Amino acid sequence: MAIVSQNEKQLVAESYIMNVYDQIKQRNANQPEFLQAVKELFKTIQPVFVQHPEYIKYGILERITEPDRIISFRVSWVDDRGKVQVNRGYRVQFNNTIGPYKGGIRFHPTVNESIIKFLGFEQIFKNALTGLPIGGGKGGSDFDPKGKSDQEIMRFCQAFMTELSKYIGPDIDVPAGDIGVGAREVGYMFGQYKRLNSYQAGVLTGKGVGYGGSLGRTEATGYGTVYFVEEMLKEKGLSFEGSTVVVSGSGNVAIYAMEKAESLGAKVVACSDSNGYIYDPDGIKLETVKRIKEGERGRIKDYTNEHPHAEYFEGCNGIWSIPCDIALPCATQNEIDVESANILIQNGVKAVGEGANMPCSLEATDLFLENDVLFGPAKAVNAGGVAVSALEMSQNSMRLSWTFEEVDEKLREIMKNIYRKSVTCAEKYGYPGNLVAGANISGFLTVAEAMMAQGVY
Ligand code: NAP
């Protein structure tokens, strides 16, 4: 029997990964965000294929990068003037090897198949990292909720769910919120699902607490982000106490990341929306941000009306020029490029935690890692949201509700576990201290092993 050297195994693994990437690139040439997410994973998983050459024969990479199915549909709805509007809806059911498809719904004018596929692809590994039985999916529409009346939002959500309802179910596919989709939109979609089918609490998560939602779900992604970063800091003898924090965005993830960071003794000095950012050297007054963004659905600029000592700047990138110890990008994809990363590093940033999905470009991520900035990747850092969504599914199945404290305790434990798994896998597979690699490998192995066990499909 021929003995294969370690070097040969590495070459075989490397050429397999490169060949699969070339095929994916050809097949998805016009999907840059999806290709970016695939590339990020592929950069780190070569050692897995050295240890598990059988994955090559079983086409694990070819299968895991091709969604089980993509559903695309017309959403026709009537605006307040009586005019019919048409948007495009999507649901990507990526992989259900370890549980029903699970992932949010995004309403934003930039939504297209590439965006939904990148989000759905990352969701597979993020969900696996939580240790809970949930597969990966994502959905959305190019509908822009900005400037729409409450009635228009309701009619759109009802039209969207009328079609989506054919493909989802508590044991099939369980959507939740994301950008542009919060408790209000989930409520309208849930109502429509119930009208078309029957009352099935577990069909959506992020519901209102009065009708099957979980306490702590609203806070989960933001709190989870801070819990994860807290673990990274601890390892280096650092903490949030007394540190200066910059958070981008002022939506669901950003608001609760700010709340938890402040409660741990940090000073959050800046946050943003898609128009610009505010800088308050005395520390952001979160009640004002919550009222403007959650209550009035207004613009972050309005903050300075009440706090005239704070400054408002047009444009989003400038927020990263504010010196800080900890940067938490919590708005959207690719918001930190190489230039912003360089400025953050020059200003002495110690830790970056990706609250949003893929907020740092591949090059920016490499720069942070090369400069020994503690770096928490999105798949691990923002997994708290989907973890508590899975806890909502459990409570719905059991017909009971846990207290806020119980949910928060479970969330904290899950985030600590994700951190430990990422550290351990990074170490074991030759990337000590690299949590990007650790999280990728840990999530990937969980799904790959289950795919091997379930046979080719
Ligand atoms: P959200 O409540 O809709 O808030 C998004 C925030 O980001 C808003 O303040 C929005 O500003 C801002 N924003 C959007 N595009 C921007 C841009 N190009 N530049 C600067 N700011 C921009 O959404 P979210 O739920 O917080 O989601 C934020 C990120 O976290 C997304 O990447 C999402 O995929 C990820 N995530 C969310 C969850 C969750 O549970 N919600 C879980 C995991 C990951 P405007 O008000 O001007 O639109």
Side-chain angles (χ1 to χ4, degrees), residues 87-352:
N87 286 96
R88 185 171 289 172
Y90 299 94
R91 186 71 184 165
V92 174
Q93 297 181 331
F94 226 115
N95 188 298
N96 66 351
T97 306
I98 64 166
Y101 306 106
K102 179 94 199 82
I105 290 181
R106 177 178 290 192
F107 292 164
H108 196 271
T110 56
V111 163
N112 56 36
E113 199 171 301
S114 172
I115 299 271
I116 298 298
K117 275 176 70 182
F118 114 66
L119 291 163
F121 182 66
E122 295 225 312
Q123 199 81 44
I124 305 170
F125 310 105
K126 179 188 308 190
N127 293 3
L129 275 169
T130 66
L132 300 166
I134 39 179
K138 198 83 188 187
S141 172
D142 57 4
F143 172 73
D144 186 358
K146 270 205 203 82
K148 302 290 189 299
S149 72
D150 196 54
Q151 291 298 304
E152 288 177 321
I153 299 281
M154 183 184 75
R155 287 195 293 272
F156 177 80
C157 289
Q158 290 174 340
F160 182 84
M161 182 50 84
T162 301
E163 187 61 25
L164 184 69
S165 66
K166 297 170 188 166
Y167 310 102
I168 61 174
D171 290 313
I172 302 169
D173 182 355
V174 183
D178 190 77
I179 291 180
V181 177
R184 173 180 64 165
E185 291 75 17
V186 169
Y188 290 147
M189 287 192 273
F190 184 73
Q192 184 69 353
Y193 184 87
K194 191 198 66 177
R195 247 164 254 130
L196 294 167
N197 296 278
S198 58
Y199 186 94
Q200 293 180 52
V203 73
L204 285 170
T205 58
K207 301 181 291 291
V209 172
Y211 57 95
S214 174
L215 287 163
R217 175 60 187 92
T218 305
E219 294 83 355
T221 313
Y223 279 22
T225 294
V226 171
Y227 291 152
F228 189 96
V229 173
E230 197 184 16
E231 294 301 307
M232 301 197 308
L233 293 169
K234 253 190 226 163
E235 198 106 332
K236 298 275 175 204
L238 303 168
S239 76
F240 273 96
E241 177 78 47
S243 60
T244 301
V245 179
V246 167
V247 177
S248 64
S250 49
N252 174 261
V253 180
I255 284 179
Y256 293 96
M258 290 195 264
E259 184 168 283
K260 185 50 76 179
E262 276 183 9
S263 80
L264 294 178
K267 182 157 84 168
V268 181
V269 294
C271 69
S272 60
D273 63 17
S274 53
N275 293 116
Y277 65 96
I278 49 165
Y279 171 56
D280 187 339
D282 296 344
I284 298 280
K285 313 295 173 293
L286 201 53
E287 326 78 69
T288 310
V289 175
K290 278 189 180 179
R291 206 189 56 250
I292 294 171
K293 298 304 283 187
E294 291 185 332
E296 300 161 7
R297 297 181 190 277
R299 309 308 302 156
I300 203 66
K301 185 181 184 181
D302 299 342
Y303 181 92
T304 53
N305 298 339
E306 285 170 58
H307 306 286
H309 64 279
E311 290 179 272
Y312 174 76
F313 301 89
E314 281 289 330
C316 299
N317 282 2
I319 195 169
W320 306 118
S321 64
I322 299 171
C324 62
D325 302 307
I326 301 165
L328 302 178
C330 295
T332 194
Q333 63 273 358
N334 290 325
E335 45 171 319
I336 298 188
D337 57 11
V338 170
E339 200 186 326
S340 299
N342 261 319
I343 297 172
L344 279 163
I345 293 165
Q346 277 159 26
N347 285 338
V349 72
K350 297 187 184 78
V352 176

Side-chain angles (χ1 to χ4, degrees), residues 129-130 227-232 234-235 377 380-381 409-429 431 433-435 437-439 441-443:
L129 275 169
T130 66
Y227 291 152
F228 189 96
V229 173
E230 197 184 16
E231 294 301 307
M232 301 197 308
K234 253 190 226 163
E235 198 106 332
V381 172
E409 188 50 41
K410 289 183 202 308
L411 168 66
R412 202 165 193 152
E413 212 36 58
I414 289 169
M415 296 315 296
K416 281 185 184 176
N417 272 333
I418 295 175
Y419 176 74
R420 269 187 238 118
K421 278 191 222 175
S422 305
V423 169
T424 310
C425 256
E427 188 85 33
K428 185 171 168 197
Y429 284 86
Y431 297 99
N434 180 338
L435 297 176
I441 293 173
S442 175

Side-chain angles (χ1 to χ4, degrees), residues 26-41:
Q26 268 184 21
R27 203 179 270 164
N28 304 279
N30 57 351
Q31 299 188 348
E33 294 84 3
F34 174 57
L35 291 175
Q36 184 180 338
V38 171
K39 199 168 183 181
E40 191 251 19
L41 183 93

